[in-house]
């Protein structure tokens, strides 16, 4: 701690000392009880002491400091295949409802970042390139619909890879930006093929998570409430089963976390603090560049209370 007085300190000390001595003399010349004089003198000396300290302007010196800013590019990838309409999210809700809710939570928590949105079903689509219009991105997520079952030709987790690659590379070229990826899916490949590797993306990804929905037991798929999907090979209702191993493998390849969010987003909430830390970037950190943080205002409250007491006391008693 140091002092940066508002006036030259010798003058300030001299003025306060003269006022304190004059006040003490006046108090002790008053025809009141000795106890009252002592109590009044103590009160007034406290007031003058606080005035002196405030006038000397105590400050805390910081010569090492940092600036921080939102510097995140967030790529949100949402699986919109028919299987995401299976009814086993947090009970018997559609998986896509959980994904939509968690996307909105992520966007709200990271407001100020740049967001992009990619969806995939029969094919991948970039719904929005990087933008800070997060309300637009949220509106697009809210209006996701189930694809037409008659037009489904099978899907694969690798479908959005090239769009992801383009967005991630674009972000990595921006100086000082951090690239975050959230991949929300049930992990199920319905085209009978294995998922190709995501490893090549890892070097340009700074954080994020693969977020899983669904259960291993599986559930029926209700296409936007228009009826359950029928398996043409059996004539009975088709069921979708979550492929958690596939999701864990994708997360591992991109070197990000895997979170099972089928019962709620507590895991995402816990992970979000780590993502926010990535948004802090030291722009300038220097020694010898002094930054002063004023401390005198902490004394203003007790000073105001003492003055208020004196005012009320004088009005009520018409004396010290």
């Amino acid at each position: 701690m140091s002092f940066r007085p508002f006036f030259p300190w010798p003058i300030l000390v001299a003025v306060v000392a003269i006022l304190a001595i004059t006040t003490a003399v006046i108090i002790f010349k008053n025809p009141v009880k000795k106890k009252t004089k002592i109590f009044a003198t103590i009160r007034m000396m406290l007031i003058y002491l606080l005035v002196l300290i405030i006038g000397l302007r105590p400050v805390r010196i910081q010569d090492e400091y940092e600036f921080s800013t939102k510097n995140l590019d967030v790529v949100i990838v949402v699986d919109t295949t028919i299987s995401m309409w299976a009814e086993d999210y947090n009970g018997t809700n559609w998986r896509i409802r959980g994904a939509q809710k968690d996307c909105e939570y992520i966007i709200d928590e990271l407001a100020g970042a740049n967001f992009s949105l990619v969806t995939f079903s029969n094919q991948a689509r970039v719904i929005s390139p990087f933008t800070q219009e997060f309300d637009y991105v949220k509106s697009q997520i809210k209006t996701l619909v189930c694809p037409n079952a008659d037009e489904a030709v099978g899907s694969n987790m690798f479908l959005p890879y090239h769009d992801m690659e383009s967005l991630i590379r674009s972000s990595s070229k921006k100086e000082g930006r951090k690239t975050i990826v959230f991949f929300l899916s049930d992990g199920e490949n319905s085209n009978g093929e294995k998922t190709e590797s995501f490893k090549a993306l890892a070097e340009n990804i700074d954080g994020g998570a693969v977020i899983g929905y669904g259960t291993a037991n599986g559930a029926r798929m209700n296409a936007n409430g228009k009826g359950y999907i029928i398996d043409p090979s059996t004539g009975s209702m088709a069921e979708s089963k979550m492929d958690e191993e596939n999701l864990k493998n994708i997360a591992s390849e991109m070197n990000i976390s895997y979170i099972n969010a089928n019962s709620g987003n507590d895991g995402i909430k816990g992970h979000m603090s780590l993502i926010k830390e990535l948004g802090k970037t030291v722009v300038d950190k220097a020694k010898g560049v002094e930054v002063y943080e004023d401390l005198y205002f902490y004394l203003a409250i007790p000073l105001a209370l003492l003055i208020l007491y004196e005012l009320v006391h004088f009005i009520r008693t018409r004396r010290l």
Side-chain angles (χ1 to χ4, degrees):
M1 188 177 73
S2 183
F3 295 92
R4 293 181 63 81
F6 292 104
F7 305 101
W9 70 265
I11 296 175
L12 188 63
V13 171
V15 170
V16 172
I18 292 170
L19 288 173
I21 293 170
T22 302
T23 301
V25 170
I26 293 172
I27 290 173
F28 276 91
K29 284 185 175 180
N30 266 269
V32 292
K33 294 180 181 179
K34 185 177 181 181
K35 183 178 179 181
T36 302
K37 292 180 180 180
I38 294 174
F39 185 47
T41 302
I42 291 174
R43 295 196 314 267
M44 292 305 299
M45 292 307 108
L46 282 174
I47 289 175
Y48 286 128
L49 178 61
L50 289 171
V51 169
L52 175 61
I53 296 174
I54 290 173
L56 291 173
R57 191 188 170 196
V59 295
R60 182 186 294 124
I61 299 177
Q62 297 178 337
D63 61 357
E64 183 175 314
Y65 61 97
E66 67 176 28
F67 297 96
S68 63
T69 183
K70 291 285 187 181
N71 67 329
L72 302 180
D73 284 341
V74 182
V75 181
I76 299 176
V77 185
V78 183
D79 180 354
T80 58
T81 57
I82 292 174
S83 63
M84 287 295 284
W85 270 259
E87 298 177 328
D88 57 357
Y89 167 72
N90 203 15
T92 58
N93 299 299
W94 291 338
R95 296 170 185 171
I96 195 67
R97 289 291 179 260
Q100 289 171 316
K101 181 179 69 174
D102 292 339
C103 282
E104 289 187 42
Y105 172 76
I106 289 167
I107 292 170
D108 287 339
E109 285 293 300
L110 301 180
N114 289 330
F115 296 95
S116 65
L117 175 63
V118 179
T119 63
F120 67 98
S121 181
N122 292 341
Q123 59 184 8
R125 293 178 58 204
V126 178
I127 303 299
S128 173
F130 287 117
T131 177
Q132 288 192 329
E133 295 294 331
F134 58 87
D135 283 335
Y136 169 75
V137 179
K138 287 169 69 174
S139 70
Q140 293 300 306
I141 291 168
K142 286 179 180 179
T143 56
L144 294 176
V145 296
C146 182
N148 190 329
D150 296 330
E151 298 175 0
V153 294
S155 61
N156 189 287
M157 295 298 103
F158 195 72
L159 276 172
Y161 178 89
H162 295 294
D163 289 323
M164 292 171 62
E165 181 183 38
S166 176
L167 289 164
I168 291 168
R169 283 186 176 177
S170 171
S171 175
S172 69
K173 292 176 182 178
K174 303 172 189 175
E175 186 176 354
R177 305 294 295 181
K178 301 291 185 181
T179 306
I180 308 300
V181 175
F182 289 102
F183 189 100
L184 298 87
S185 174
D186 56 24
E188 184 181 41
N189 289 336
S190 58
N191 65 354
E193 298 178 6
K194 290 185 177 180
T195 304
E196 294 183 48
S197 177
F198 283 75
K199 282 184 179 179
L201 301 180
E203 64 178 334
N204 291 320
I205 296 175
D206 298 294
V210 172
I211 305 173
Y213 303 88
T215 61
N217 292 331
R220 300 174 299 177
M221 295 165 281
N222 192 333
N224 270 351
K226 298 176 181 178
Y228 290 100
I229 305 298
I230 302 299
D231 185 342
S233 63
T234 63
S236 58
M237 284 183 287
E239 290 192 347
S240 168
K241 296 182 179 181
M242 178 192 196
D243 189 341
E244 193 163 36
E245 287 304 312
N246 197 18
L247 294 174
K248 289 180 178 179
N249 187 53
I250 293 171
S252 176
E253 289 174 347
M254 290 195 287
N255 196 28
I256 55 179
S257 302
Y258 169 72
I259 300 170
N260 186 314
N262 200 58
S263 299
N265 66 355
D266 287 345
I268 301 173
K269 290 179 179 179
H271 189 67
M272 199 56 62
S273 59
L274 300 176
I275 301 299
K276 288 179 179 179
E277 281 299 312
L278 290 172
K280 293 182 179 179
T281 299
V282 175
V283 177
D284 194 1
K285 194 171 185 178
K287 290 283 187 179
V289 181
E290 293 185 343
V291 177
Y292 299 101
E293 180 185 355
D294 285 310
L295 302 176
Y296 65 84
F297 55 84
Y298 289 113
L299 303 175
I301 295 176
L303 176 61
L305 291 174
L306 281 170
I307 293 174
L308 180 62
Y309 176 86
E310 291 300 325
L311 180 61
V312 172
H313 179 72
F314 179 78
I315 292 173
R316 292 179 61 186
T317 64
R318 296 293 178 179
R319 61 179 175 80
L320 296 174

